[in-house]
């Protein structure tokens, strides 16, 4: 069972390995959007966007619903945003620490 959890964890973390998928998560943070709206907002071709959306839906990061011919996506579990935000906070801390080292400061 533990091995399977590690496997699922690794698969979920793959979502965080692409800048556009991270941008997609952040874009969907507060609202549901259609594929067309997402493509326009992110400046992505529909085929490329579709690949990312499919991958994220398969890993249960996003859920979709269809209304007529329009498909809408949203974050499957809002707690995912806690992990997303925590990783960003760590990144910003590292950037500040690196800047302080470059400028000869220590906090």
């Amino acid at each position: 069972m533990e091995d399977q959890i590690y496997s699922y964890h690794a698969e979920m973390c793959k979502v965080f390995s692409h800048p556009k998928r991270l941008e997609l998560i952040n874009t969907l943070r507060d609202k549901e959007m259609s594929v067309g709206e997402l493509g326009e907002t992110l400046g992505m071709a529909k085929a490329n966007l579709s690949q990312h959306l499919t991958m994220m839906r398969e890993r249960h990061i996003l859920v979709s619903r269809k209304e007529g011919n329009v498909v809408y996506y949203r974050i499957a579990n809002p707690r995912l945003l806690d992990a997303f935000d925590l990783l960003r906070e760590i990144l910003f801390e590292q950037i500040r620490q690196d800047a302080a080292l470059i400028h000869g400061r220590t906090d």
Side-chain angles (χ1 to χ4, degrees), residues 12-19 21-22 25 61 80 83-84 87:
M12 182 177 274
C13 286
K14 287 179 185 178
V15 170
F16 292 112
S17 70
H18 194 282
R21 288 194 291 267
L22 294 172
I25 290 169
I61 301 299
L80 171 81
F84 178 90
L87 288 171

Side-chain angles (χ1 to χ4, degrees), residues 2-14:
E2 192 73 15
D3 288 344
Q4 188 154 11
I5 294 295
Y6 284 128
S7 179
Y8 287 156
H9 191 162
E11 286 299 312
M12 182 177 274
C13 286
K14 287 179 185 178

Side-chain angles (χ1 to χ4, degrees), residues 45-62:
K46 189 174 181 180
N48 192 343
L49 176 59
S50 180
Q51 290 176 343
H52 289 297
L53 292 170
T54 298
M55 183 258 212
M56 294 171 79
R57 192 178 64 242
E58 288 172 351
R59 287 168 176 80
H60 307 288
I61 301 299
L62 302 178

Side-chain angles (χ1 to χ4, degrees), residues 21-79:
R21 288 194 291 267
L22 294 172
E23 189 176 357
L24 188 54
I25 290 169
N26 206 40
T27 300
L28 291 172
R29 149 181 307 276
D30 298 317
K31 60 189 170 286
E32 174 182 82
M33 293 178 75
S34 71
V35 174
E37 291 171 319
L38 286 167
E40 192 172 307
T41 300
L42 299 172
M44 293 178 71
K46 189 174 181 180
N48 192 343
L49 176 59
S50 180
Q51 290 176 343
H52 289 297
L53 292 170
T54 298
M55 183 258 212
M56 294 171 79
R57 192 178 64 242
E58 288 172 351
R59 287 168 176 80
H60 307 288
I61 301 299
L62 302 178
V63 291
S64 63
R65 71 175 178 88
K66 194 168 185 178
E67 192 173 292
N69 290 335
V70 180
V71 179
Y72 293 89
Y73 283 87
R74 65 179 168 79
I75 302 292
N77 184 335
R79 292 185 60 207

